[in-house]
Amino acid sequence: MGRVPVFGAGYGGPDPGPDNGLGTGGEALHTWAFSDDPDDRRVLREGTARSGAVVLGRGLFDVVDGPNGWDDKTGYGAGEVGKPAFVVVTSSPPESVRLTGLDWTFVTTGLPDAVTTARERAETASSDSGKELDVVLMGGGATIGSALDAGLVDTLSLHLAPVVLGAGTPLFTGGAPRMLVQRSVTSTSTATHLIYDVL
């Protein structure tokens, strides 16, 4: 254990927010996650099945826990796996949580501490399940970029959708260059799924 894969799908269109989580047009970036294509289903199933804990930033939490956010049909691996622990990086915990059926931990001391907490949760889940589980850094884009810059990411999993939105939330916005080693490529009609080791 100890890998911190980034399970990201783009990032999002312009004007994201709690009522427009993926931004304008951003749904097109995530079509693969709802596809009936057997390779898309396999990529989603395998990625979520390895999830021992999931780290996300506060902005993304506000979207998924918002009134138009996740439910029984949409959400992290909905219909694919159990419910991993979720660790949120935030300056202050929310006053309430709508998705009370999920295991939420709010870390106010920064991203490295959130990843450490998630690793502990994933190690416990690995021990309980008898299989090796990972920490998944779901996003948003700034959280993923900060984790890459801090050297906290070992594996980068990207899902490149065949759409150009023209604006939106970028996944990479600068930072230190990183060398990647390609591990796998799976192409479908809805996305090209890329997995890299981060050096």
Side-chain angles (χ1 to χ4, degrees), residues 5-199:
V6 174
F7 185 63
Y11 235 81
D15 305 317
D19 293 327
N20 191 25
L22 300 175
T24 303
E27 296 84 5
L29 298 172
H30 301 268
T31 301
W32 71 272
F34 303 97
S35 165
D36 290 330
D37 182 285
D39 285 327
D40 286 329
R41 302 298 330 144
R42 179 185 52 77
V43 167
L44 181 64
R45 182 177 56 254
E46 290 174 357
T48 55
R50 289 190 312 268
S51 302
V54 178
V55 177
L56 60 155
R58 178 58 186 268
L60 184 54
F61 167 80
D62 288 343
V63 169
V64 302
D65 193 56
N68 298 317
W70 290 353
D71 57 30
D72 292 338
K73 294 180 184 174
T74 61
Y76 189 82
E80 294 292 338
V81 297
K83 298 175 180 169
F86 290 90
V87 179
V88 181
V89 183
T90 182
S91 59
S92 63
E95 292 182 18
S96 64
V97 175
R98 179 181 65 84
L99 297 170
T100 58
L102 298 178
D103 179 3
W104 296 103
T105 300
F106 297 92
V107 176
T108 60
T109 53
L111 182 57
D113 288 343
V115 170
T116 297
T117 299
R119 281 191 171 138
E120 291 166 358
R121 301 298 301 275
E123 287 170 1
T124 299
S126 292
S127 178
D128 291 347
S129 69
K131 54 185 182 174
E132 185 174 326
L133 300 173
D134 296 324
V135 171
V136 176
L137 181 59
M138 192 171 78
T143 301
I144 292 172
S146 295
L148 279 167
D149 289 345
L152 298 171
V153 177
D154 298 319
T155 304
L156 184 63
S157 177
L158 299 172
H159 310 282
L160 180 63
V163 61
V164 176
L165 297 177
T169 304
L171 185 55
F172 306 110
T173 58
R178 294 276 178 195
M179 294 300 298
L180 306 175
V181 175
Q182 183 175 296
R183 207 176 347 148
S184 71
V185 176
T186 302
S187 293
T188 70
S189 63
T190 59
T192 301
H193 305 284
L194 306 159
I195 300 178
Y196 298 97
D197 289 326
V198 180
L199 301 181

